[in-house]
């Protein structure tokens, strides 16, 4: 799926500095100057949030040559006229431990897509492929996400896909040494991933969360709109 129109890669590059390196490859950008931006909100919490303030550097290239990038408002950039494929590279600061942001250190990483993945204007309805790469120091890290897996076994780093940008930013990613459990409900697998707890009663958590999810599923007619 690397021939997809939009392909992202994300790497926890400098955990000591809380810095992710993210790239976005656009196969067929706007030849007159591609616009891209970061949302100022996160799904489930719609107050204005200035995620673009955490973008430390952003560069662009096409055919191995640098292309100009100009910021035109607080969260939107425009690339100079070029022919694709276009590669955008950004360094993004992540030091927010809330569920609304992104975080990276030597112990674990968490991200919401709105913090790291640029919205490519005019391509929001295209499928998005995401390559998630582990940091150099962390051989024992795993990945938990609602994104659909393309490569690798369960909990491994690899490639993932979202049907469009809206789905991409509604599927957070957790990385680190994780303790995982699961249960089935309404013909769908539900996965629980826990970081930072030395002792976890997964059997009880699975049982309790299954009860909560069952009530929600019944409220909306008994089914769920996903397989995992």
């Amino acid at each position: 799926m690397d021939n997809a129109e939009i392909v992202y890669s994300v790497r926890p590059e400098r955990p000591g500095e809380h810095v992710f390196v993210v790239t976005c490859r656009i196969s067929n950008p706007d030849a007159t100057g591609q616009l891209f931006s970061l949302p100022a909100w996160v799904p489930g919490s719609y107050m204005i949030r200035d995620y673009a303030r955490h973008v430390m550097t952003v560069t662009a290239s096409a055919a191995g040559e640098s292309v100009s990038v100009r910021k035109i408002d607080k969260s939107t950039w425009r690339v100079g006229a070029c022919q694709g494929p276009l590669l955008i590279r950004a360094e993004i600061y992540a030091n927010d431990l809330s569920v609304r942001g992104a975080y990276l250190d030597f112990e674990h990483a968490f991200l919401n897509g709105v913090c790291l993945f640029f919205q490519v204007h005019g391509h929001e309805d295209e499928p998005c492929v995401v390559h998630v790469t582990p940091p150099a120091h962390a051989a024992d890290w795993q990945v938990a996400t609602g994104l659909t897996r393309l490569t690798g076994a369960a909990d491994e780093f690899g490639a993932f896909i979202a049907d469009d940008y809206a789905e991409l930013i509604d599927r957070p990613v957790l990385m680190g040494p994780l303790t995982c459990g699961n249960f089935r409900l309404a013909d769908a697998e539900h996965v629980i991933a826990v970081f930072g707890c030395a002792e976890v009663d997964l059997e009880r958590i699975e049982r309790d969360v299954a009860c909560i999810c069952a009530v929600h599923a019944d409220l909306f007619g008994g089914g769920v709109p996903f397989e995992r």
Side-chain angles (χ1 to χ4, degrees):
M1 286 295 295
D2 275 359
N3 59 351
E5 177 65 28
I6 307 295
V7 179
Y8 299 91
S9 72
V10 56
R11 181 182 179 89
E13 184 76 17
R14 304 201 300 276
E17 302 172 48
H18 310 289
V19 175
F20 283 99
V21 171
V22 182
T23 65
C24 176
R25 194 192 73 204
I26 308 153
S27 295
N28 296 289
D30 183 341
T32 65
Q34 180 65 57
L35 288 170
F36 62 95
S37 61
L38 282 178
W41 50 270
V42 63
S45 182
Y46 296 99
M47 68 178 291
I48 295 298
R49 303 180 190 280
D50 185 14
Y51 291 115
R53 75 186 188 277
H54 297 305
V55 177
M56 300 167 58
T57 66
V58 58
T59 58
S61 62
E65 299 291 333
S66 295
V67 182
S68 64
V69 180
R70 182 167 62 93
K71 194 171 186 181
I72 62 175
D73 63 32
K74 72 174 186 178
S75 60
T76 307
W77 294 260
R78 183 189 296 275
V79 175
C82 67
Q83 298 295 320
L86 171 68
L87 184 69
I88 299 167
R89 181 184 185 277
E91 295 178 317
I92 299 177
Y93 183 67
N95 193 20
D96 181 352
L97 276 168
S98 78
V99 297
R100 300 175 297 275
Y103 184 81
L104 168 64
D105 64 13
F106 283 105
E107 302 298 326
H108 84 295
F110 173 78
L111 65 95
N112 282 290
V114 292
C115 302
L116 269 66
F117 299 131
F118 290 119
Q119 174 183 345
V120 182
H121 294 209
H123 296 274
E124 290 88 350
D125 295 332
E126 300 277 355
C128 305
V129 171
V130 180
H131 294 271
V132 183
T133 305
H137 75 280
D140 61 338
W141 278 28
Q142 302 160 281
V143 176
T145 179
L147 291 167
T148 299
R149 180 177 289 277
L150 290 176
T151 66
D155 305 328
E156 289 184 348
F157 288 80
F160 303 84
I161 190 169
D163 287 342
D164 52 29
Y165 186 76
E167 180 178 300
L168 175 66
I169 62 173
D170 203 21
R171 301 289 188 269
V173 180
L174 176 67
M175 309 177 220
L178 307 177
T179 301
C180 296
N182 65 83
F183 59 89
R184 292 199 64 84
L185 177 72
D187 294 325
E189 181 187 17
H190 294 63
V191 179
I192 299 168
V194 181
F195 165 78
C197 296
E199 297 182 10
V200 181
D201 187 347
L202 270 178
E203 183 177 343
R204 179 177 179 180
I205 294 174
E206 290 166 0
R207 182 177 65 250
D208 292 351
V209 174
C211 291
I212 297 169
C213 291
V215 172
H216 280 266
D218 288 343
L219 182 65
F220 288 97
V224 295
F226 49 81
E227 295 181 356
R228 180 178 182 276

